[in-house]
Amino acid sequence: MIFVFDGAMGTMLQQAGLAPGDCPELWNVENPAAVTAIHRRYVETGADIIETNTFGANRIKLSHYGLENRVAELNAAAAKAARAACGPKTKIAGSVGPTGKFIAPLGELSFDDAYEVYYEQISALDAAGVDMVIIETVIDIQEMRAALLAVKAATAKPVVCQLSFGADGRTLTGTDPRTAAIVLEAMGADIIGANCSLGPAQLLPVVAELAAACSLPVSVQPNAGMPELVNGQTVFPMSPAEMGEWTPKLVAAGATYLGGCCGTTPEHIKAIKAALGPEVKPAPRTAAVRTALTSRSQTVYLGAGLPTVLIGERINPTGRKALAAEIREGSFAAVKREALEQVKAGAKVLDVNMGVPGIDQTAAMATAVTELSVLVDVPLAIDTTDAAALEAGLKAFPGRALINSVSAEPERLEQFLPLAKKYGAAVLCLPIAPGGVPATADERVNIAGDIINAALAAGLRPQDLLLDPLVLTVAADARAAQETLATLRAYRRHFGYPAVMGLSNVSYGLPRRDLMNAAFCAMALDAGLDAPILNPYDPAMSDMLSATAALLGHDPQGQRYSTVNAGISAGPAAAPAHAADILAAVKQAVTSGQKEAVAPLVRQALAEGHSPLAITDQGLTAAMNEVGEAFGKGRCFLPQVMLAAETMRAAFLTLKEELPAHRADSLGTVVLATVRGDIHDLGKNIVAALMENNGFRVVDLGKDVPAEEIVAAAKKENADVVGLCALMTTTMPQIDIAVTALKAAGIPARSIVGGAVLTAEYAAQAGADAYAGNGVEAVNIAKRFVGK
């Protein structure tokens, strides 16, 4: 079956008389007949599902209008207005939009607070009788996770999860469609899709990637093309007929739920419906069932026939006094250094263990996972026996983590499996039962089978499960290694799930442990091991993995093996704490986001006689230029950019502390504002943070700012640059008004405009001096404007 959603609500409300700056959701109680009339037009032109007028009806958004205490009332009224327009088969989807704030550490909103905000709104929609919930236009996977958890807690009704993707095929915070699909399917979404920001042409590959990565229905609600400014009016150029022409293509790519977003009208929905003739059938789906882990921006697959996945074991304080001492003191500098260096050494997943006796492991795990989630882009394995610490780690991680591990002990099964189901995590099954450690392969296979059965009964899927064969010490048991290898072969024969194991136990008490470990790992890989947990710095292990990759066919013709062993280095390791070239070390600390490491490096640079100017130019500025270039080429994403900018700021503060007489000159003054009628300031806040951390003085006027106030501030502050932002199509004309007002007032400041719906063409037509597609671009343009 193919279903049709409705189109834009905001545009239609404005046509019906909603004034710029007024609260759209207030019309649900003050003018419900107008809301119902819009719904009815969509139903009459073919919409099977209509969305309630509640996109901004959460406590945070409503607080802008002083309506934060009317969440239940406005959502209930919206459902009633929609119900009045329904036909006999029409379904109502309760629309839930973003909060407009980033969840920590990218912003100040806590995950728990975001969850509560969503839970309140979704509970109201559920009580009002909507048929499903649609979470839409979300730009950060962590916010979508909080919203999805709230839906699951508030109602058993179906939930649609729609993210907004940019022209680079990723969300603003770097999540690609495949990763989003894997994370959200594992957490229990019923339909996954994309809406807003782009037209159907740009969303076609996004739909295809979503469909290829999951087994769920895929939805798409594009804008009516990209907006243009025509005779002073914002226009979405795509006609209903053109929208209709894209419909079969979107279906062929995998979509079975189609509708419209900004700029679409009942006529567009009519065209979509008309294009769905009897010859248009849902595309056959061929998504393979594979085990995957993800970070916010990257997916790692594990299993037979795939390259070996190295899991770094170094973030574990067991037997490491210095690391344990730092964690106990609340410092995570060493943890972050280990993370960067392991990834540099080839780790594709990082194991995270905070098992320091006497500390609050729950708080430590939450902090470690939060910090690491913006520092590196690899999935994490949460390694703990403490259920509270496990939940803290799973909640903080904006991806699909691995739980290391779940044994057959009843308490562990009862506590860990529901958490895996709730947060969409994968589970490493460890064959240890209440009776003790099984000695033989047959016993381990039986216990693993018990864990698998319990996991499936708890609602987990086959692709959620991985198996640990259990490694014992060969010095204590001559058959230890052979039983482990036999277990691996039996796992592959009986279950087929990926096998993961930490292997260093095998050599305990013996000399040349590196040699023993490497030999055992090579044998285990041949027996069916897919992902060893090991020390990635070990050169013997690195050489062995390079060789086995070629021998097992994962390195065709041994190309990588040949390159490595021909003496071509893959590159230097991550920043050492005290490098010989101190300015290079400062630069590397900024590019890798090591906030704690940069201050001592700056002090060392000063002690060695480097001037603040040299440190700034050759260390800090050079680093941010490199980060900006990497961002532009898609090699890093917004979280890493913001972390690098924070590190640069820490370096500046250190310079001021060490040399009070030194005052780094400001690059210039930037006045920032979200234009009148627009209450979305997430993008503007990102730009403000990046500008400030790059050395600009920032005057942030906030959101919903009239043009006359922007002009007055630019004049008063003697601004060099004025940055204007609009997220909504209905507020885009305010960009033109503000730019015109700045010019009419003779303000010499150069203007930069941006926002989700703006384009370079629109900015040029509005008379702006520049368009910036993201915060990094805005900083670079501002530097150019002030001659830096």
Side-chain angles (χ1 to χ4, degrees):
M1 288 285 290
I2 299 175
F3 301 90
V4 176
F5 274 105
D6 57 12
M9 172 60 77
T11 307
M12 299 296 290
L13 287 172
Q14 208 167 39
Q15 291 178 9
L18 178 72
D22 286 355
C23 176
E25 289 78 14
L26 195 56
W27 270 38
N28 296 330
V29 293
E30 293 187 346
N31 197 354
V35 177
T36 296
I38 294 169
H39 286 313
R40 186 170 292 120
R41 286 188 63 190
Y42 279 120
V43 171
E44 290 171 351
T45 51
D48 303 305
I49 306 167
I50 55 175
E51 296 186 28
T52 54
N53 178 34
T54 52
F55 179 78
N58 64 66
R59 191 192 319 160
I60 292 176
K61 284 289 184 66
L62 290 176
S63 66
H64 180 73
Y65 307 100
L67 301 173
E68 62 271 23
N69 295 320
R70 299 176 66 179
V71 172
E73 176 194 2
L74 295 177
N75 281 279
K80 183 178 179 182
R83 186 66 67 194
C86 284
K89 296 183 179 178
T90 310
K91 299 293 184 184
I92 298 176
S95 173
V96 177
T99 62
K101 295 182 179 296
F102 271 133
I103 292 177
L106 300 182
E108 296 179 353
L109 184 66
S110 74
F111 189 93
D112 288 338
D113 286 346
Y115 170 89
E116 291 299 334
V117 167
Y118 281 121
Y119 183 82
E120 179 184 29
Q121 184 189 0
I122 293 161
S123 297
L125 287 167
D126 181 53
V130 301
D131 299 299
M132 65 181 75
V133 176
I134 178 167
I135 311 165
E136 54 186 341
T137 327
V138 174
I139 57 174
D140 178 35
I141 191 71
Q142 187 68 331
E143 182 170 8
M144 180 61 86
R145 291 180 76 238
L148 180 51
L149 286 174
V151 175
K152 291 295 178 183
T155 178
K157 293 172 182 172
V159 54
V160 185
C161 294
Q162 290 186 163
L163 290 154
S164 284
F165 295 89
D168 62 351
R170 291 179 180 268
T171 67
L172 184 66
T173 54
T175 302
D176 59 278
R178 176 174 62 179
T179 296
I182 291 168
V183 170
L184 299 176
E185 181 175 28
M187 290 184 67
D190 296 288
I191 300 169
I192 294 174
N195 75 294
C196 204
S197 292
L198 303 171
Q202 296 81 15
L203 286 181
L204 189 68
V206 171
V207 169
E209 192 171 345
L210 288 170
C214 71
S215 60
L216 298 178
V218 174
S219 63
V220 60
Q221 299 194 69
N223 291 345
M226 304 304 287
E228 298 174 357
L229 186 64
V230 179
N231 298 325
Q233 298 294 318
T234 303
V235 174
F236 281 87
M238 183 167 284
S239 68
E242 290 173 298
M243 182 70 93
E245 290 173 3
W246 280 100
T247 299
K249 300 174 186 174
L250 291 167
V251 172
T256 50
Y257 288 78
L258 299 100
C261 202
C262 298
T264 59
T265 65
E267 292 306 310
H268 288 84
I269 300 308
K270 184 178 181 180
I272 291 173
K273 190 75 171 184
L276 293 170
E279 72 283 2
V280 179
K281 306 289 186 186
R285 299 286 294 276
T286 56
V289 177
R290 293 190 291 177
T291 300
L293 306 174
T294 85
S295 62
R296 187 196 298 270
S297 56
Q298 185 179 175
T299 294
V300 174
Y301 288 105
L302 305 94
L306 297 173
T308 302
V309 174
L310 196 164
I311 301 178
E313 67 174 11
R314 297 284 295 171
I315 305 177
N316 188 331
T318 305
R320 301 182 65 195
K321 292 182 180 178
L323 181 63
E326 281 204 21
I327 295 172
R328 183 178 292 109
E329 293 167 2
S331 170
F332 291 85
V335 168
K336 291 196 276 188
R337 195 162 55 245
E338 289 283 10
L340 288 167
E341 292 178 357
Q342 288 186 96
V343 171
K344 192 78 174 177
K348 302 300 182 187
V349 178
L350 295 181
D351 191 78
V352 181
N353 184 308
M354 291 289 115
V356 179
I359 69 166
D360 181 348
Q361 292 191 25
T362 301
M365 184 63 82
T367 301
V369 171
T370 299
E371 298 272 355
L372 295 178
S373 69
V374 293
L375 186 73
V376 293
D377 64 353
V378 300
L380 301 182
I382 312 298
D383 185 357
T384 181
T385 57
D386 184 306
L390 174 63
E391 178 156 22
L394 294 175
K395 184 188 296 182
F397 187 56
R400 171 167 153 87
L402 172 65
I403 296 175
N404 182 14
S405 54
V406 176
S407 67
E409 296 156 301
E411 182 177 322
R412 192 73 69 87
L413 294 173
E414 291 167 7
Q415 293 181 340
F416 280 29
L417 294 179
L419 290 175
K421 173 66 177 172
K422 178 179 179 180
Y423 291 99
V427 170
L428 180 57
C429 305
L430 183 68
I432 293 179
V437 177
T440 68
D442 287 343
E443 291 175 293
R444 295 174 195 180
V445 168
N446 289 335
I447 296 171
D450 292 341
I451 301 172
I452 291 169
N453 290 334
L456 297 176
L460 296 176
R461 309 160 302 167
Q463 61 264 44
D464 296 328
L465 306 177
L466 303 93
L467 303 176
D468 188 324
L470 201 58
V471 179
L472 301 179
T473 303
V474 75
D477 179 356
R479 288 198 51 80
Q482 295 176 58
E483 289 298 336
T484 298
L485 298 174
T487 305
L488 282 169
R489 295 187 188 95
Y491 278 169
R492 185 60 54 85
R493 192 166 58 250
H494 288 288
F495 306 117
Y497 301 143
V500 178
M501 70 181 192
L503 49 81
S504 58
N505 271 352
V506 76
S507 62
Y508 187 77
L510 295 174
R512 288 297 311 276
R513 295 188 66 186
D514 58 334
L515 177 61
M516 181 69 75
N517 291 343
F520 181 54
C521 187
M523 298 169 73
L525 291 171
D526 181 57
L529 176 63
D530 300 295
I533 303 174
L534 49 75
N535 177 359
Y537 313 144
D538 186 336
M541 194 65 76
S542 178
D543 289 346
M544 181 278 302
L545 288 172
S546 175
T548 54
L551 294 170
L552 294 173
H554 302 317
D555 177 14
Q557 289 80 47
Q559 293 181 24
R560 187 176 183 281
Y561 175 84
S562 299
T563 300
V564 171
N565 289 286
I568 300 173
S569 171
H578 298 285
D581 184 348
I582 189 62
L583 295 183
V586 170
K587 178 185 170 187
Q588 195 164 24
V590 174
T591 56
S592 57
Q594 296 185 74
K595 282 188 295 185
E596 295 84 353
V598 79
L601 290 171
V602 167
R603 293 190 187 98
Q604 183 182 340
L606 290 170
E608 292 181 6
H610 295 285
S611 69
L613 182 61
I615 295 170
T616 301
D617 285 348
Q618 299 175 46
L620 308 182
T621 304
M624 287 310 296
N625 288 341
E626 189 170 305
V627 171
E629 182 182 353
F631 179 79
K633 294 182 177 179
R635 297 200 300 267
C636 73
F637 307 103
L638 185 62
Q640 289 76 44
V641 173
M642 295 180 73
L643 188 59
E646 289 176 18
T647 306
M648 181 172 172
R649 183 173 177 77
F652 274 131
L653 292 175
T654 304
L655 280 174
K656 291 181 179 179
E657 288 172 4
E658 295 298 313
L659 297 175
H662 171 69
R663 291 287 184 271
D665 292 333
S666 166
L667 295 183
T669 297
V670 179
V671 169
L672 291 176
T674 301
V675 296
R676 183 176 187 177
D678 204 319
I679 63 170
H680 305 84
D681 62 354
L682 197 56
K684 184 263 298 171
N685 291 343
I686 295 169
V687 173
L690 292 177
M691 288 282 188
E692 200 166 55
N693 288 334
N694 274 273
F696 286 95
R697 184 174 79 91
V698 174
V699 179
D700 188 347
L701 302 180
K703 53 194 175 185
D704 190 14
V705 185
E708 53 270 26
E709 189 175 328
I710 296 170
V711 171
K715 187 175 182 180
K716 177 185 174 184
E717 303 293 342
N718 193 26
D720 298 287
V721 175
V722 175
L724 303 172
C725 179
L727 179 75
M728 301 162 62
T729 54
T730 53
T731 58
M732 285 171 63
Q734 292 294 326
I735 290 281
D736 321 338
I737 293 171
V739 170
T740 301
L742 286 166
K743 291 185 175 179
I747 302 297
R750 311 285 293 277
S751 59
I752 304 174
V753 302
V757 294
L758 260 68
T759 63
E761 292 75 18
Y762 190 100
Q765 292 165 346
D769 294 305
Y771 162 78
N774 56 62
V776 175
E777 208 173 311
V779 170
N780 291 335
I781 293 170
K783 286 181 177 177
R784 194 170 72 240
F785 281 171
V786 299
K788 301 296 182 182

PDB file of all heavy atoms in Angstrom, residues 529-542:
ATOM      1  N   LEU A 529      36.261 -15.651  14.335  1.00  0.00           N
ATOM      2  CA  LEU A 529      36.231 -14.390  15.080  1.00  0.00           C
ATOM      3  C   LEU A 529      36.066 -13.222  14.094  1.00  0.00           C
ATOM      4  O   LEU A 529      36.759 -13.148  13.089  1.00  0.00           O
ATOM      5  CB  LEU A 529      37.536 -14.214  15.874  1.00  0.00           C
ATOM      6  CG  LEU A 529      37.697 -12.900  16.630  1.00  0.00           C
ATOM      7  CD1 LEU A 529      36.624 -12.765  17.718  1.00  0.00           C
ATOM      8  CD2 LEU A 529      39.095 -12.800  17.251  1.00  0.00           C
ATOM      9  N   ASP A 530      35.128 -12.331  14.402  1.00  0.00           N
ATOM     10  CA  ASP A 530      34.879 -11.189  13.518  1.00  0.00           C
ATOM     11  C   ASP A 530      35.428  -9.884  14.075  1.00  0.00           C
ATOM     12  O   ASP A 530      35.733  -8.970  13.305  1.00  0.00           O
ATOM     13  CB  ASP A 530      33.367 -11.024  13.290  1.00  0.00           C
ATOM     14  CG  ASP A 530      32.765 -12.251  12.648  1.00  0.00           C
ATOM     15  OD1 ASP A 530      33.119 -12.539  11.495  1.00  0.00           O
ATOM     16  OD2 ASP A 530      31.954 -12.937  13.311  1.00  0.00           O
ATOM     17  N   ALA A 531      35.502  -9.767  15.404  1.00  0.00           N
ATOM     18  CA  ALA A 531      35.927  -8.493  15.987  1.00  0.00           C
ATOM     19  C   ALA A 531      36.706  -8.747  17.275  1.00  0.00           C
ATOM     20  O   ALA A 531      36.105  -8.972  18.330  1.00  0.00           O
ATOM     21  CB  ALA A 531      34.715  -7.606  16.265  1.00  0.00           C
ATOM     22  N   PRO A 532      38.034  -8.725  17.218  1.00  0.00           N
ATOM     23  CA  PRO A 532      38.829  -8.893  18.444  1.00  0.00           C
ATOM     24  C   PRO A 532      38.857  -7.599  19.246  1.00  0.00           C
ATOM     25  O   PRO A 532      38.910  -6.501  18.682  1.00  0.00           O
ATOM     26  CB  PRO A 532      40.227  -9.232  17.908  1.00  0.00           C
ATOM     27  CG  PRO A 532      40.281  -8.587  16.554  1.00  0.00           C
ATOM     28  CD  PRO A 532      38.882  -8.637  16.019  1.00  0.00           C
ATOM     29  N   ILE A 533      38.788  -7.733  20.568  1.00  0.00           N
ATOM     30  CA  ILE A 533      38.971  -6.586  21.456  1.00  0.00           C
ATOM     31  C   ILE A 533      40.429  -6.638  21.907  1.00  0.00           C
ATOM     32  O   ILE A 533      40.837  -7.580  22.599  1.00  0.00           O
ATOM     33  CB  ILE A 533      38.030  -6.673  22.674  1.00  0.00           C
ATOM     34  CG1 ILE A 533      36.573  -6.772  22.215  1.00  0.00           C
ATOM     35  CG2 ILE A 533      38.197  -5.451  23.574  1.00  0.00           C
ATOM     36  CD1 ILE A 533      35.581  -7.009  23.356  1.00  0.00           C
ATOM     37  N   LEU A 534      41.229  -5.649  21.524  1.00  0.00           N
ATOM     38  CA  LEU A 534      42.665  -5.741  21.775  1.00  0.00           C
ATOM     39  C   LEU A 534      43.292  -4.353  21.841  1.00  0.00           C
ATOM     40  O   LEU A 534      42.627  -3.339  21.659  1.00  0.00           O
ATOM     41  CB  LEU A 534      43.333  -6.599  20.693  1.00  0.00           C
ATOM     42  CG  LEU A 534      43.011  -6.302  19.210  1.00  0.00           C
ATOM     43  CD1 LEU A 534      43.700  -5.070  18.717  1.00  0.00           C
ATOM     44  CD2 LEU A 534      43.409  -7.503  18.369  1.00  0.00           C
ATOM     45  N   ASN A 535      44.596  -4.372  22.099  1.00  0.00           N
ATOM     46  CA  ASN A 535      45.376  -3.144  22.143  1.00  0.00           C
ATOM     47  C   ASN A 535      45.819  -2.794  20.725  1.00  0.00           C
ATOM     48  O   ASN A 535      46.681  -3.469  20.157  1.00  0.00           O
ATOM     49  CB  ASN A 535      46.597  -3.351  23.041  1.00  0.00           C
ATOM     50  CG  ASN A 535      47.493  -2.125  23.086  1.00  0.00           C
ATOM     51  OD1 ASN A 535      47.218  -1.121  22.430  1.00  0.00           O
ATOM     52  ND2 ASN A 535      48.563  -2.202  23.857  1.00  0.00           N
ATOM     53  N   PRO A 536      45.265  -1.750  20.128  1.00  0.00           N
ATOM     54  CA  PRO A 536      45.588  -1.460  18.724  1.00  0.00           C
ATOM     55  C   PRO A 536      46.993  -0.920  18.522  1.00  0.00           C
ATOM     56  O   PRO A 536      47.440  -0.799  17.385  1.00  0.00           O
ATOM     57  CB  PRO A 536      44.537  -0.412  18.336  1.00  0.00           C
ATOM     58  CG  PRO A 536      44.137   0.225  19.604  1.00  0.00           C
ATOM     59  CD  PRO A 536      44.262  -0.818  20.668  1.00  0.00           C
ATOM     60  N   TYR A 537      47.690  -0.567  19.641  1.00  0.00           N
ATOM     61  CA  TYR A 537      49.055  -0.056  19.487  1.00  0.00           C
ATOM     62  C   TYR A 537      50.084  -1.171  19.316  1.00  0.00           C
ATOM     63  O   TYR A 537      51.216  -0.921  18.935  1.00  0.00           O
ATOM     64  CB  TYR A 537      49.487   0.767  20.707  1.00  0.00           C
ATOM     65  CG  TYR A 537      48.498   1.776  21.200  1.00  0.00           C
ATOM     66  CD1 TYR A 537      48.364   2.030  22.555  1.00  0.00           C
ATOM     67  CD2 TYR A 537      47.689   2.496  20.321  1.00  0.00           C
ATOM     68  CE1 TYR A 537      47.469   2.962  23.030  1.00  0.00           C
ATOM     69  CE2 TYR A 537      46.787   3.431  20.774  1.00  0.00           C
ATOM     70  CZ  TYR A 537      46.675   3.663  22.135  1.00  0.00           C
ATOM     71  OH  TYR A 537      45.788   4.586  22.596  1.00  0.00           O
ATOM     72  N   ASP A 538      49.686  -2.386  19.650  1.00  0.00           N
ATOM     73  CA  ASP A 538      50.615  -3.510  19.636  1.00  0.00           C
ATOM     74  C   ASP A 538      51.105  -3.759  18.206  1.00  0.00           C
ATOM     75  O   ASP A 538      50.330  -4.157  17.338  1.00  0.00           O
ATOM     76  CB  ASP A 538      49.891  -4.751  20.174  1.00  0.00           C
ATOM     77  CG  ASP A 538      50.826  -5.954  20.327  1.00  0.00           C
ATOM     78  OD1 ASP A 538      51.855  -5.972  19.631  1.00  0.00           O
ATOM     79  OD2 ASP A 538      50.506  -6.838  21.123  1.00  0.00           O
ATOM     80  N   PRO A 539      52.407  -3.549  17.924  1.00  0.00           N
ATOM     81  CA  PRO A 539      52.877  -3.698  16.534  1.00  0.00           C
ATOM     82  C   PRO A 539      52.750  -5.121  16.007  1.00  0.00           C
ATOM     83  O   PRO A 539      52.452  -5.312  14.823  1.00  0.00           O
ATOM     84  CB  PRO A 539      54.349  -3.250  16.620  1.00  0.00           C
ATOM     85  CG  PRO A 539      54.718  -3.316  18.064  1.00  0.00           C
ATOM     86  CD  PRO A 539      53.466  -3.081  18.835  1.00  0.00           C
ATOM     87  N   ALA A 540      52.948  -6.112  16.892  1.00  0.00           N
ATOM     88  CA  ALA A 540      52.813  -7.492  16.429  1.00  0.00           C
ATOM     89  C   ALA A 540      51.382  -7.778  16.006  1.00  0.00           C
ATOM     90  O   ALA A 540      51.121  -8.433  14.985  1.00  0.00           O
ATOM     91  CB  ALA A 540      53.236  -8.459  17.550  1.00  0.00           C
ATOM     92  N   MET A 541      50.450  -7.250  16.783  1.00  0.00           N
ATOM     93  CA  MET A 541      49.041  -7.455  16.457  1.00  0.00           C
ATOM     94  C   MET A 541      48.667  -6.714  15.175  1.00  0.00           C
ATOM     95  O   MET A 541      47.934  -7.220  14.324  1.00  0.00           O
ATOM     96  CB  MET A 541      48.174  -6.952  17.621  1.00  0.00           C
ATOM     97  CG  MET A 541      46.736  -7.411  17.563  1.00  0.00           C
ATOM     98  SD  MET A 541      46.560  -9.201  17.741  1.00  0.00           S
ATOM     99  CE  MET A 541      46.826  -9.384  19.500  1.00  0.00           C
ATOM    100  N   SER A 542      49.206  -5.511  15.046  1.00  0.00           N
ATOM    101  CA  SER A 542      48.925  -4.730  13.844  1.00  0.00           C
ATOM    102  C   SER A 542      49.439  -5.446  12.599  1.00  0.00           C
ATOM    103  O   SER A 542      48.742  -5.533  11.583  1.00  0.00           O
ATOM    104  CB  SER A 542      49.573  -3.346  13.971  1.00  0.00           C
ATOM    105  OG  SER A 542      49.356  -2.591  12.812  1.00  0.00           O
TER     106      SER A 542
END
